[in-house]
Amino acid sequence: MICKKDHRHEQMFLQIPKSQGGEGRHRCAGCAYEAGLAAGRERKEKVDLDLDSLPESQAGTVRHKSPHAAWALGYLNGVRESYEG
Ligand SMILES: [Zn+2]
């Protein structure tokens, strides 16, 4: 499955490192970010990145970006949002 979403976090992903993983799976960093964001908003303490459930990335700025880093960035922003509410 290839991600068809139009992720609008392009600028944010510039700070994300490239994935150096050689496992041949390129999960969508945009979807990973959104999954992390949702977990962060709930301030989940038992987290599961569950990257295998994410769609694969398409071309664009999120391509080949580390889904681990994107998830963590999303989590951080989600926690921030939860304090602003
Ligand atoms: Zn995506």
Side-chain angles (χ1 to χ4, degrees), residues 2-7 27-32 34 54-58 62:
I2 304 288
C3 178
K4 297 269 202 311
K5 285 187 185 168
D6 180 23
H7 294 292
R27 300 301 172 182
C28 177
C31 289
E34 290 181 3
L54 299 176
E56 292 179 34
S57 65
Q58 54 183 344
V62 297

Side-chain angles (χ1 to χ4, degrees), residues 4 9 26 35 39:
K4 297 269 202 311
H9 315 291
H26 300 286

